[in-house]
Amino acid sequence: MWHILGAGSLGTLWATRLARAGLPVQLILRDSTRLHGYQQAGGLTLIEQGQPQHYPIAAQTPDHRQPIQRLLLACKAYDAATAVAQLAHRLVPGADILLLQNGLGSQDEVARAAPQARCIFASSTEGAFRQADFQVVFAGHGHTWIGDPLNMQPPDWLADLHQAGIAHDWSLDILSRLWRKLALNCAINPLTVLQDCRNGQLREHPAQLACLTDELVELLQRCGQSNAAEGLYDDVLRVIQATAMNYSSMHQDASQGRRTEIAYLLGYACQAAQRHQLPLPHLQALHAQLLNHLTARGLPCH
Ligand code: NAD
Ligand code: KPL
C-alpha cells in the first residue's frame, strides 16, 4: 500500500501513475473538510498533453487508524515535519518514508519527527502544477533520483515505480544531488524574484550570476560536497537557457502570494555558511534582500 500525503502537484502526479499501474494507493488529506471536497470531486484528475484522465483513488484523513508501511511525503518542505509528526503513531517500525521535498533541512526535521522510520530522499526534475483543486497538469517530463545517505541498499518497491512508468534511478549519493539542485535554485530563483523576470532574462546579469556561483562553489566545497560543485556555473547557464521562458518556482510562489521554500534553499545555504564561519557576502546580501522583499509583501520567511 502506498500512503501518499498531500494531493497537490507532485502528490497527484505520483498517486495517479501508481494507481493506473494497478498499485494500491491511499491519499492522506489534511482534514475532513478537504476530504469532503475531494469526495465531491470524485477523485484526482491528471492532465497529460491536454488530455484529462480521472482516477477515483481512496482517501482518508491523518487520524485514520490504518498502519502505514510506506509513506510518500508530497507536501512543501515547511509542512513536512508537522505532517509526519501527525502520522508518527501510524508508522510501523521500519516503515519507509519517501521525501519529495526540494531543498535541504526538511529531511533532517522529518527524521527527527519519525525516528522509527527509514527516510529515503528524492530529487526530481519532473514538473507539475495545479490547474484547479484535485486537477493537476503534468507539465514537464523529468527524472527522479532516489537515495538514502544512511543505507545504500535500494528498497524493493522501486519495482513499483518502474511498473508505474516513473523515471527514476537509485542514487548512491543523493545528498550530492540535493546540494547541486539547491545550488542551482540559489543561483537562479532569488534573482528571478528580485528582478521580477523569467529565468532566461538572467542572461542579462552574468556578473551577478558569476559572483553567486563562485560563493556557492566555496560553500559546497566547505560542506564536503566537491562533486556537487563541479562545473556549477556552466550548469546554471544551461538551466537558464533550457528554462528561459519559465518563471522559477519561487517567482511563481511569490507572485501568487504563496509562501516560498526560501528557508530550505537560500536560508539553508546561508546557515550552513555561518556554521562553517564562511563569509559569503553576495549570497548573504541576496538573502537579506529576498527576506525584505517577501516581508514587504506580507509573505512568511521561515
Ligand atoms: P503543492 O503545494 O502543490 O502540494 C502540497 C500539498 O500538500 C497541498 O495539497 C497541501 O494541502 C498538502 N499538505 C500540506 N500539509 C499537509 C498535511 N499535514 N496533511 C495533508 N496534506 C498536507 O506542492 P508541490 O508543488 O507538489 O511540491 C511538493 C514538494 O515537491 C515541494 O518541496 C516542491 O519544491 C517539490 N517539487 C515540486 C515540483 C513541481 O513541479 N510541483 C517539482 C520538483 C519538486
Ligand atoms: O528548479 C527550478 C525552479 O524553478 O525551482 C529551476 C527551473 C531549476 C530554476 O532554479
Side-chain angles (χ1 to χ4, degrees):
M1 171 66 73
W2 284 85
H3 281 92
I4 300 187
L5 181 131
S9 307
L10 279 199
T12 298
L13 188 56
W14 280 66
T16 51
R17 289 180 296 177
L18 290 166
R20 80 177 167 204
L23 295 158
V25 176
Q26 273 282 348
L27 290 173
I28 302 177
L29 303 177
R30 198 183 280 275
D31 52 30
S32 53
T33 310
R34 183 119 172 105
L35 182 61
H36 183 68
Y38 178 73
Q39 282 157 349
Q40 300 280 95
L44 295 175
T45 300
L46 183 67
I47 301 150
E48 286 176 280
Q49 286 150 0
Q51 297 297 321
Q53 199 84 44
H54 191 69
Y55 300 88
I57 296 169
Q60 57 185 223
T61 52
D63 58 6
H64 196 283
R65 295 161 74 95
Q66 190 177 46
I68 298 175
Q69 176 67 55
R70 185 182 309 144
L71 176 66
L72 178 72
L73 195 62
C75 57
K76 297 281 190 173
Y78 47 74
D79 282 328
T82 312
V84 165
Q86 262 185 311
L87 297 175
H89 63 290
R90 294 178 54 189
L91 290 164
V92 302
D96 288 334
I97 307 180
L98 177 56
L99 295 107
L100 291 185
Q101 287 63 44
N102 202 10
L104 281 163
S106 65
Q107 297 85 358
D108 289 341
E109 292 172 1
V110 168
R112 281 195 293 274
Q116 75 274 42
R118 178 185 184 189
C119 288
I120 298 177
F121 307 168
S123 177
S124 184
T125 60
E126 291 193 317
F129 63 87
R130 266 189 288 181
Q131 182 167 275
D133 247 4
F134 308 115
Q135 286 186 24
V136 165
V137 178
F138 192 176
H141 286 263
H143 199 84
T144 303
W145 283 271
I146 299 172
D148 176 355
L150 301 177
N151 181 350
M152 296 297 124
Q153 193 63 32
D156 54 8
W157 46 256
L158 290 185
D160 285 7
L161 307 193
H162 190 70
Q163 192 177 326
I166 298 173
H168 69 281
D169 270 306
W170 180 249
S171 167
L172 295 178
D173 196 357
I174 190 67
L175 284 180
S176 176
R177 295 258 171 213
L178 284 162
W179 269 107
R180 174 63 157 225
K181 178 95 192 312
L182 177 138
L184 289 168
N185 286 159
C186 286
I188 299 171
N189 299 16
L191 281 182
T192 62
V193 174
L194 295 170
Q195 305 283 346
D196 188 16
C197 70
R198 293 177 198 266
N199 292 353
Q201 287 167 275
L202 294 185
R203 286 175 292 204
E204 292 156 25
H205 304 275
Q208 215 173 348
L209 283 176
C211 283
L212 289 174
T213 310
D214 284 349
E215 290 191 357
L216 285 162
V217 165
E218 252 190 277
L219 176 65
L220 290 169
Q221 286 169 343
R222 186 66 74 89
C223 292
Q225 295 294 334
S226 299
N227 286 347
E230 290 266 314
L232 182 62
Y233 185 63
D234 287 347
D235 210 18
V236 168
L237 296 183
R238 181 192 63 77
V239 170
I240 286 174
Q241 184 70 30
T243 61
M245 291 311 289
N246 298 359
Y247 285 107
S248 75
S249 55
M250 192 178 272
H251 184 285
Q252 291 175 41
D253 284 340
S255 62
Q256 289 165 39
R258 291 193 304 244
R259 182 173 173 182
T260 70
E261 294 183 300
I262 178 178
Y264 299 88
L265 297 168
L266 190 52
Y268 185 89
C270 287
Q271 249 181 20
Q274 221 169 27
R275 241 187 350 263
H276 288 281
Q277 295 178 334
L278 183 65
L280 298 176
H282 293 93
L283 219 53
Q284 270 141 4
L286 183 71
H287 187 222
Q289 268 180 288
L290 188 58
L291 291 178
N292 282 338
H293 180 95
L294 298 175
T295 307
R297 279 149 191 81
L299 294 172
C301 294
H302 53 277

